[in-house]
Amino acid sequence: MHVTRDFSHYIRSAGEGIQHIDLAVEGVHCAGCMAKIERGLSAIPDVTLARVNLTDRRVALEWKAGTLDPGRFIDRLQELGYKAYPFETESAEEAEVAESRFLLRCLGVAAFATMNVMMLSIPVWSGNVSDMLPEQRDFFHWLSALIALPAAAYAGQPFFRSAWRALSAKTTNMDVPISLGVILALGMSVVETINHAEHAYFDAAIMLLTFLLVGRFLDQNMRRRTRAVAGNLAALKAETAAKFVGPGEISQVPVAAIHAGDIVLLRPGERCAVDGTVIEGRSEIDQSLITGETLYVTAEQGTPVYAGSMNISGTLRVRVSAASEATLLAEITRLLDNALQARSRYMQLADRASRLYAPVVHATALLTILGWVIAGASWHDAIVTGVAVLIITCPCALGLAIPTVQTIASGAMFKSGVLLNSGDAIERLAEADHVIFDKTGTLTLPDLEVMNAADIPADIFGLAGRLALSSHHPVAAAVAQAADAKSPIVGAVEEPGQGVRATMDGVELRLGRPSFCGAEALVGDATLDPEASIVAFSKGSDRFVLSVRQGLRPDAQAVVAALKARNIGIEILSGDREPAVKAAAQALAIPEWRAGVTPADKIARIEELKQRGAKVLMVGDGMNDAPSLAAAHVSMSPISAAHLSQATADLVFLGRPLAPVVAAIDASRKALHLMRQNLWLAIGYNVLAVPIAISGVVTPLIAAAAMSGSSILVMLNSLRARSASREIV
């Protein structure tokens, strides 16, 4: 009977004729597994992306639409020795919890057996140099076998199953030599016991499994903690929303059924499921994910709200601007996924080393055995030495060296408000020694402020704000917000490109260009901010001018000072007018700045700095910054940036503060330092341990302890990436 497999529910469009699916893959434990899976899947025609996320054992696949059946990917993974199925967050987490419990049970069995076998081994060790009778020694050996053999059969399942799948697929992975070493040690021990020999290696085999299980359990839990960051974001997503389907009728519908332009009801205590704008109601909302502010903010008519925001008190009607996978929260989640799946230069180096491991270590162990036999050693001693080589050369430390640092550093950066969007962003950011800032929307806030509101009579400013509610212009929106306007003036008419007018109590009101309001004479007032935009308001014959501009980010001065303290060069390149750029540069004590520059000018400046050997970090947000973001050594954008800039930037930072720029630099420098340390630790361990093992000095027991010790050392060193950023003062 032919069984069809329908994966259409799990496939989504990635744009431009590309389809995407995420698959959960069992048995992925190291960089070598990742490389093998990616190579195997990338070899399928029309596949454009195959990237493994070791953190949640997920593979992201993209291919040309209509050319492939996703079932082919599952079949290919089966051929490679891995079981796969469509990825679902809930089921994947359940599988991870089940695996974690299984590993813990295996560890408990192995640890209990190790303690008992070691208690039996100590009398044998001491008895071999004293007066223990052969019968007594044999009894202790058989008792050790009675404990170690069933314990190893159960506790070794994670390694034995993985090795069997690999061998069944006519390939190898790091679990093959581990399993081979354990089985050889146990088999030799049984043979030695039957032959009444002095030595057996039950203790070495079961202790090796214990150490390996400790490392694998700790590694899995570390990855689960890091994955909890993404899980916390997923928890912010509401699955349904109350949509207005009639004038006074609402229906609870899935988020997928909501589209831009729809109106939804957001009640107290609910999380917003969409991005949109409040059209009715007043409440307090918690949107700390986007703004970085933990204090609640007031939401009223005209206030933007984002998916994941929590409504605290009142009821709001929200007009939808984006829903489902188009929301800002979904974009943040995708960026975080990119960070966890990203492949750095150092990880690629570790991948290549791990790929060479299995054939090299098998060849080394075989040559060691043959070499010792040729040198006159017995087959027994030669095989014992070969087993020690198999055990001591396990590449766990090398496989963990880079992914653990990258995973922990990504989580630490996210807590500081930074998301990675490129595989080698950490390494390139760590090398940055010169920062170029765009001004508008980067050093300044994207929101406009009325700078001289205090100079306008309160009643006049209130009227201007109410009139501004009838305009769609961003400057008018800033006036309405500053005036805390609640209700528009009835009958207001907007004249495109000029302003908005209305009549109230027989008096004409106008808001807009100075020429539209008859206020040209007031524009030259010396008290007005030279870098601001000017909007005029008239009430009959009375004329007023409002100065509107973007204010600097609240911590911009502290961030610039912090960058200087780290010996990083700083300059401003902006397309804005010279007075505005000059004022910002002076306020921030940045001596090097240029105004009125084009995108081509920014790229030319970046290339000039590159020729001098500088590693340039470009921080910008506008559509016109996208080319220079791509040209720089590394780039960052605020979350408020145009979508094209976010897609181009290597890192994205959240909230109003600029501090994440410094936090990211600190975290990346610390992470790069730890990556290098881990690589040297792993390489140094093998350079030192392999010759010693080949020389026959190391027993399988000592080899097990040394191998596990190196892996634990690398993991502990990686944990230092959690606290990388320094305080900005």
Side-chain angles (χ1 to χ4, degrees):
M1 182 176 64
H2 177 69
V3 179
T4 59
R5 295 177 292 182
D6 182 11
F7 297 103
S8 58
H9 177 70
Y10 303 101
I11 299 173
R12 69 172 188 265
S13 173
E16 300 180 357
I18 300 296
Q19 291 182 308
H20 179 104
I21 192 170
D22 289 319
L23 298 177
V25 184
E26 295 181 2
V28 182
H29 299 297
C30 66
C33 297
M34 295 170 66
K36 183 167 68 173
I37 290 172
E38 291 178 354
R39 287 199 313 274
L41 293 174
S42 297
I44 299 175
D46 295 322
V47 170
T48 59
L49 172 73
R51 187 162 55 191
V52 177
N53 182 341
L54 188 58
T55 303
D56 54 11
R57 296 183 175 88
R58 173 175 29 154
V59 58
L61 285 156
E62 293 182 0
W63 68 97
K64 295 178 182 177
T67 61
L68 292 171
D69 176 8
R72 185 172 176 184
F73 303 137
I74 294 177
D75 294 338
R76 178 59 180 146
L77 286 165
Q78 185 72 33
E79 294 171 3
L80 294 171
Y82 301 94
K83 182 181 178 182
Y85 44 86
F87 180 88
E88 291 182 298
T89 303
E90 185 175 345
S91 60
E93 181 60 25
E94 289 175 357
E96 285 290 322
V97 170
E99 183 177 354
S100 181
R101 289 174 178 169
F102 177 61
L103 283 175
L104 192 58
R105 287 197 301 271
C106 290
L107 175 58
V109 169
F112 179 78
T114 298
M115 289 187 291
N116 284 277
V117 171
M118 290 301 294
M119 283 193 299
L120 295 170
S121 298
I122 291 173
V124 174
W125 297 340
S126 59
N128 282 336
V129 294
S130 60
D131 56 355
M132 176 175 277
L133 296 175
E135 291 79 8
Q136 292 175 315
R137 184 179 59 235
D138 290 347
F139 174 75
F140 281 116
H141 281 168
W142 281 117
L143 199 55
S144 297
L146 185 63
I147 297 171
L149 291 175
Y154 182 85
Q157 289 182 82
F159 310 102
F160 300 155
R161 290 175 179 176
S162 174
W164 178 251
R165 284 195 297 266
L167 292 173
S168 299
K170 298 179 181 179
T171 184
T172 59
N173 60 18
M174 64 181 288
D175 290 330
V176 172
I178 289 172
S179 301
L180 187 59
V182 171
I183 292 170
L184 279 175
L186 291 172
M188 284 188 59
S189 298
V190 172
V191 172
E192 296 289 85
T193 302
I194 292 172
N195 293 327
H196 311 290
E198 289 187 5
H199 300 288
Y201 306 101
F202 296 112
D203 47 7
I206 197 66
M207 183 176 286
L208 171 62
L209 286 176
T210 302
F211 285 145
L212 287 169
L213 287 165
V214 167
R216 189 155 292 186
F217 180 76
L218 290 176
D219 178 52
Q220 188 201 38
N221 277 270
M222 182 190 299
R223 296 184 191 283
R224 286 186 65 195
R225 284 198 300 270
T226 303
R227 191 168 57 252
V229 175
N232 290 340
L233 285 182
L236 296 177
K237 294 181 181 179
E239 299 299 330
T240 62
K243 174 183 173 181
F244 280 90
V245 294
E249 182 182 355
I250 61 173
S251 176
Q252 201 76 20
V253 299
V255 174
I258 298 175
H259 307 284
D262 290 342
I263 297 175
V264 298
L265 185 69
L266 186 58
R267 291 165 287 213
E270 291 183 341
R271 285 203 180 274
C272 189
V274 299
D275 290 356
T277 305
V278 177
I279 60 173
E280 184 181 314
R282 183 182 175 88
S283 180
E284 288 185 316
I285 58 174
D286 175 4
Q287 51 183 12
S288 55
L289 175 68
I290 305 301
T291 65
E293 296 291 338
T294 56
L295 297 176
Y296 299 152
V297 297
T298 301
E300 52 197 4
Q301 186 178 20
T303 301
V305 294
Y306 301 97
S309 300
M310 173 66 80
N311 185 23
I312 305 301
S313 51
T315 300
L316 301 172
R317 290 194 182 200
V318 177
R319 186 178 302 279
V320 178
S321 60
S324 191
E325 294 302 310
T327 63
L328 186 57
L329 181 61
E331 180 67 20
I332 292 173
T333 304
R334 281 193 290 272
L335 288 171
L336 186 59
D337 282 343
N338 286 344
L340 294 176
Q341 294 177 13
R343 310 301 302 281
S344 70
R345 290 176 292 173
Y346 281 90
M347 185 178 286
Q348 291 165 4
L349 176 64
D351 286 352
R352 289 194 292 270
S354 295
R355 285 202 301 271
L356 294 172
Y357 161 71
V360 169
V361 72
H362 288 135
T364 303
L366 180 59
L367 290 174
T368 299
I369 294 172
L370 295 177
W372 275 101
V373 170
I374 292 171
S378 66
W379 278 101
H380 167 272
D381 292 341
I383 293 174
V384 168
T385 304
V387 170
V389 171
L390 279 174
I391 293 172
I392 208 167
T393 54
C394 176
C396 294
L398 185 60
L400 295 170
I402 305 304
T404 49
V405 175
Q406 189 179 41
T407 300
I408 294 169
S410 297
M413 284 187 174
F414 179 76
K415 290 179 181 178
S416 298
V418 180
L419 299 172
L420 300 181
N421 197 27
S422 175
D424 59 350
I426 289 177
E427 288 128 19
R428 286 187 283 123
L429 183 60
E431 297 167 348
D433 55 16
H434 195 96
V435 179
I436 294 178
F437 283 107
D438 176 51
K439 182 188 78 72
T440 308
T442 303
L443 288 173
T444 63
L445 292 166
D447 305 321
L448 295 167
E449 299 178 8
V450 180
M451 306 309 296
N452 64 334
D455 300 333
I456 310 297
D459 59 332
I460 296 296
F461 194 42
L463 285 175
R466 292 182 61 193
L467 188 57
L469 286 174
S470 300
S471 173
H472 294 90
H473 197 281
V475 172
V479 173
Q481 184 174 0
D484 197 24
K486 300 294 186 296
S487 58
I489 295 176
V490 178
V493 177
E494 184 170 19
E495 297 188 10
Q498 296 298 319
V500 60
R501 57 182 173 80
T503 301
M504 186 176 182
D505 298 330
V507 179
E508 186 179 49
L509 308 176
R510 290 194 173 202
L511 177 74
R513 290 179 178 272
S515 56
F516 178 67
C517 301
E520 299 97 319
L522 301 178
V523 174
D525 190 338
T527 62
L528 295 177
D529 191 331
E531 62 171 300
S533 299
I534 302 300
V535 60
F537 176 72
S538 65
K539 178 185 178 185
S541 58
D542 296 329
R543 306 286 187 271
F544 305 89
V545 289
L546 305 176
S547 177
V548 181
R549 71 174 176 88
Q550 292 176 317
L552 291 173
R553 290 186 182 262
D555 61 345
Q557 290 180 330
V559 166
V560 169
L563 291 172
K564 289 179 178 179
R566 288 156 175 78
N567 297 317
I568 296 175
I570 309 170
E571 62 182 277
I572 301 174
L573 296 182
S574 176
D576 206 348
R577 297 173 295 115
E578 182 172 330
V581 180
K582 181 179 180 180
Q586 289 177 341
L588 298 173
I590 300 176
E592 196 163 355
W593 57 272
R594 287 173 59 189
V597 297
T598 64
D601 293 334
K602 291 183 180 181
I603 292 176
R605 175 56 178 165
I606 290 171
E607 293 300 327
E608 179 186 343
L609 289 167
K610 283 183 179 179
Q611 292 298 320
R612 299 181 189 175
K615 305 292 187 182
V616 179
L617 164 62
M618 175 71 196
V619 187
D621 81 316
M623 192 76 74
N624 63 330
D625 288 323
S628 51
L629 289 170
H633 184 67
V634 63
S635 55
M636 292 185 75
S637 287
I639 196 67
S640 56
H643 182 76
L644 178 61
S645 298
Q646 286 186 20
T648 307
D650 298 304
L651 304 98
V652 174
F653 64 91
L654 308 173
R656 293 165 61 89
L658 202 59
V661 175
V662 180
I665 291 174
D666 286 346
S668 64
R669 288 181 172 181
K670 182 64 172 290
L672 182 60
H673 179 65
L674 292 174
M675 286 179 188
R676 289 171 175 167
Q677 276 189 352
N678 281 353
L679 279 177
W680 281 115
L681 282 171
I683 293 171
Y685 159 76
N686 280 285
V687 168
L688 180 65
V690 173
I692 294 176
I694 293 173
S695 69
V697 175
V698 176
T699 66
L701 179 62
I702 297 174
M707 181 280 300
S708 300
S710 67
S711 299
I712 293 172
L713 183 62
V714 163
M715 292 179 65
L716 291 175
N717 193 49
S718 300
L719 290 172
R720 295 167 57 203
R722 289 186 299 185
S723 56
S725 60
R726 302 201 298 268
E727 189 72 22
I728 300 174
V729 294

